[in-house]
Amino acid sequence: MIKNKKIIQLISCLDLNVWKCLLLIRQASKIFKPIYKQLTLYDFLIDNDIGEPLNETPWDIVVNAINSNSEDYVAVIRYAMTLITPRLSIFEMLEDELQFVKIDKSAFCEIVDLLSDVSLDDFSLPTLYEYGLSKELQATASLYGDFYTPLSVVEFMLKMLNIKSQGNIYDPCCGSGALLGRAAHLFSDRELKLFGQTLDSASYQICLMNLFLHGLYADLGDRPANTLLEDLHANRKFDYIIANPPFNHRDWCGKMNIIGFDKWIYGLPPRKNANYAWIQHIISHLTDNGYAAIILPNGTLTTQNQQEYKIRQKILCDQLIECIITLPAGLFYNTKIPCCIWLINKISKPSKDILLIDANRMKLKQKNHIDIQKLLEVIQQYRMGILREKTELYAIVSLAEIEQNNYKLSPNFYTKKESLPLLSIRENRLRFETMVDTLYPYFTDESLRACIKEWKTKKISFDWKWAFLPDLYDIFGGVLKGKESFGHGTPMVDVKTILRHPFLPDMLSSFVAVSKEEIEKYSIKRGDVLLNRTSESIGELACCSVATKDCNAVYGNYVKRLRPRNDALLDPLYMAGYFRSTIYRREVEKVSPVYTTRANMNIDRLSSISVYYPDLEMQHRIGETIFNLSNIQVANKNKEINAKIEAFIQLLIEHFITYPVLYLQKKRK
């Protein structure tokens, strides 16, 4: 471990191509032994009774050059590379790129010394390469999604494929080769032939080298090429396909005429998004008994684009989708975007049911790790015909039910909704009363102390009303401008402001150049609610910031303004608390079609959201308490006190908003 850390520190001192060559030469020289472990003449005579000299490995060439104080290390590396067999196409690329490289002699000698003592049996070289690869790919992460796919997700996908004792496995966008390498490692006891395709020379080189360091080889075709437009394996069918294609790839076919491609079995995919092009490409390459697991953005499950909608409908009617799994946000190394796995199964099935799993709520076992065993058990039980009832985790859905939902595949439309336990809320009352006793001694203002203390004996109001959001608010979109208009002009409320502030702050960090007419059109007045209509995760979708006074500002295009229809009906301060409640979050989740990147909350969805409110006196008491304590949080720098304030606010919302609303909902049923 210490040795590896030292090597990692030295990597930045060498040209990356030199580093790659050293790893390849070392990997190809398995019989090499460090100087202090070399055979003595006696050992040699005992072990080689036929008198044949030991073969000089490519790594011996490099080590001997250092020992002989050679200065032309580039020539030595290029010569050593010519001795490696089998000879891969990437070797010539690397050798050519070394021509004008200058080598830091000190770093080079030290790394060679350290690599000489690296065991080739403990995956040290692949690990070291992957570290260097991570540095190389930081600027182009989207092109190598396989490298950033967590191992737990890769293993889950592979184990879903029902891999037999032998067969071939294909990754149509294999990037660094991480998915293919993991498949070969996980099923090392089976005869798997690896196939793939990469987009450009860099990924072609990276993939072959990565697999070589793992002792593997994949048929990537004779060159890099765009898989969707120039299929190097066009005449092949594969038993298993695993893929993490680039999400929402725009203008993927350029000006090329894609009409007439055999792979568009279910319809021509849109030119502005490649998601359904990838799905059809993969289906077209499956054998009649083949399985495929594809990571895709959640938007593929509900898109209403006419071309994508019709393709999804036809795929469903052909009974090719066995299972859909939505994954938690924050699972991948380089993005917060939540996504899903499509499990395609070409084996004919007796029923038209589909298993939909909503793993979005699953807690990560540790960073970037999900409980794959639990999910695999659900899939196995489904395949055995054991599962019946819908749960909060999964639902077995008929094609007829999916048809009724406009062929939407987002699991949260079908799974059982998680209920909030009333009993635990009652039990938490004691915790709330304890929090009151803990918090109010921190303050010297008598009116604030009294305001906090009264909640200890305050009775819950059950005199509540409800209405749909548009019955209470007029909903209006934000200002839309070109890039040149931002960064100067009038203060503007943006999504970040809304996510950070339940009450609209006095100071705004964003600006936009707008006319007097636009200032009036997109004005912000007391009681207005600013709602972000888009987000990368469901937890941050449709959050709200309430204006407690008229504001000299406008709001952006990714924001909706909710203006009260009746100022005497709702207390703005109360609404800031309500929009932070579990009840409101459930309403948002109920109407949101998918947990997706850039989830969108349009007028139709907002129109289905219910809002609950007590009498004005109770609204005022709740709102005033939350507002006063929130102001203290903003001004206060003591993290401990702020944490106690936040806990008190959440308990207040739970007991005096969530609990009575649950009671009202239960009564309405």
Side-chain angles (χ1 to χ4, degrees), residues 395-603:
I396 299 173
V397 187
S398 67
L399 184 57
E401 187 176 352
I402 292 173
E403 183 181 2
Q404 289 174 0
N405 274 280
N406 216 18
Y407 293 99
K408 293 175 181 176
L409 288 175
S410 185
N412 67 306
F413 278 141
Y414 306 95
T415 53
K416 185 179 178 181
K417 302 307 174 188
E418 183 181 4
S419 59
L420 292 171
L422 291 176
L423 183 59
S424 67
I425 294 176
R426 291 193 190 100
E427 290 173 347
N428 277 343
R429 175 73 192 201
L430 180 60
R431 184 182 168 207
F432 177 60
E433 291 174 358
T434 302
M435 183 61 70
V436 171
D437 292 336
T438 302
L439 188 62
Y440 86 91
Y442 281 101
F443 306 115
T444 56
D445 185 288
E446 288 300 327
S447 61
L448 182 58
R449 284 163 62 95
C451 177
I452 294 171
K453 197 168 184 179
E454 76 161 336
W455 289 106
K456 189 172 181 178
T457 55
K458 189 74 175 175
K459 291 184 178 180
I460 295 174
S461 169
F462 290 98
D463 182 19
W464 287 65
K465 296 179 181 178
W466 75 276
F468 288 115
L469 195 67
D471 297 332
L472 301 172
Y473 292 96
D474 288 320
I475 304 171
F476 201 72
V479 61
L480 178 61
K481 289 281 187 178
K483 291 182 180 180
E484 68 282 354
S485 297
F486 293 94
H488 57 94
T490 301
M492 182 187 74
V493 177
D494 57 14
V495 172
K496 288 182 180 179
T497 301
I498 293 170
L499 295 179
R500 293 171 182 170
H501 302 280
F503 299 99
L504 206 62
D506 293 331
M507 301 293 292
L508 299 173
S509 58
S510 295
F511 298 88
V512 62
V514 286
S515 65
K516 290 182 179 179
E517 292 76 15
E518 288 172 323
I519 291 175
E520 179 61 30
K521 183 178 180 180
Y522 302 107
S523 64
I524 300 172
K525 298 180 179 179
R526 183 184 185 278
D528 284 353
V529 178
L530 287 307
L531 174 148
N532 64 306
R533 67 173 179 81
T534 183
S535 174
E536 288 186 347
S537 68
I538 190 68
E540 293 184 344
L541 179 64
C543 291
C544 297
S545 185
V546 176
T548 58
K549 57 186 177 183
D550 292 355
C551 180
N552 181 30
V554 294
Y555 54 99
N557 183 48
Y558 295 110
V559 177
K560 295 285 188 185
R561 183 190 66 196
L562 281 54
R563 177 157 289 173
R565 288 175 174 267
N566 185 346
D567 291 336
L569 193 62
L570 299 175
D571 185 312
L573 304 185
Y574 161 76
M575 292 309 298
Y578 177 78
F579 287 129
R580 293 173 66 179
S581 70
T582 306
I583 291 296
Y584 173 69
R585 292 313 312 167
R586 290 298 171 83
E587 288 289 323
V588 171
E589 291 177 14
K590 186 170 64 176
V591 302
S592 177
V594 69
Y595 304 106
T596 182
T597 172
R598 293 300 164 208
N600 192 38
M601 188 57 66
N602 58 27
I603 294 292

Side-chain angles (χ1 to χ4, degrees), residues 422 461-467 583 610-614 657-669:
L422 291 176
S461 169
F462 290 98
D463 182 19
W464 287 65
K465 296 179 181 178
W466 75 276
I583 291 296
S610 298
V611 175
Y612 298 84
Y613 53 97
I657 297 179
T658 301
Y659 178 80
V661 171
L662 284 174
Y663 178 83
L664 176 64
Q665 289 177 337
K666 189 175 181 180
K667 190 176 179 181
R668 280 172 58 193
K669 289 180 181 179

Side-chain angles (χ1 to χ4, degrees), residues 4-20:
N4 284 0
K5 286 183 178 179
K6 182 62 176 175
I7 295 173
I8 287 169
Q9 291 172 0
L10 292 168
I11 290 175
S12 58
C13 300
L14 287 182
D15 179 87
L16 196 59
N17 290 314
V18 173
W19 167 243
K20 291 177 183 177

Side-chain angles (χ1 to χ4, degrees), residues 44-164:
F44 174 79
L45 293 174
I46 294 296
D47 294 340
N48 296 269
D49 54 355
I50 58 174
E52 293 183 1
L54 289 174
N55 291 326
E56 188 176 45
T57 70
W59 193 251
D60 287 316
I61 301 293
V62 176
V63 172
N64 291 338
I66 291 176
N67 293 337
S68 63
N69 294 317
S70 171
E71 295 294 332
D72 193 356
Y73 294 134
V74 170
V76 171
I77 291 172
R78 294 181 71 187
Y79 173 64
M81 289 285 289
T82 64
L83 302 179
I84 299 177
T85 54
R87 186 161 179 81
L88 302 179
S89 56
I90 61 169
F91 293 176
E92 286 186 15
M93 299 179 193
L94 285 170
E95 290 163 26
D96 290 342
E97 289 169 1
L98 288 177
Q99 290 185 56
F100 305 105
V101 169
K102 292 184 179 180
I103 294 179
D104 182 319
K105 181 177 179 180
S106 175
F108 180 79
C109 293
E110 191 170 358
I111 280 187
V112 169
D113 182 51
L114 291 167
L115 286 178
S116 293
D117 199 32
V118 166
S119 169
L120 300 183
D121 299 322
D122 61 3
F123 285 92
S124 292
L125 293 185
T127 301
L128 290 169
Y129 176 63
E130 286 171 6
Y131 173 82
L133 184 61
S134 68
K135 296 294 185 185
E136 183 177 12
L137 301 185
Q138 279 178 350
T140 56
S142 61
L143 297 178
Y144 303 91
D146 65 311
F147 181 76
Y148 292 94
T149 309
L151 284 180
S152 62
V153 175
V154 179
E155 288 190 15
F156 175 51
M157 294 170 69
L158 289 167
K159 288 180 178 179
M160 286 193 295
L161 295 181
N162 245 354
I163 293 178
K164 307 298 182 185

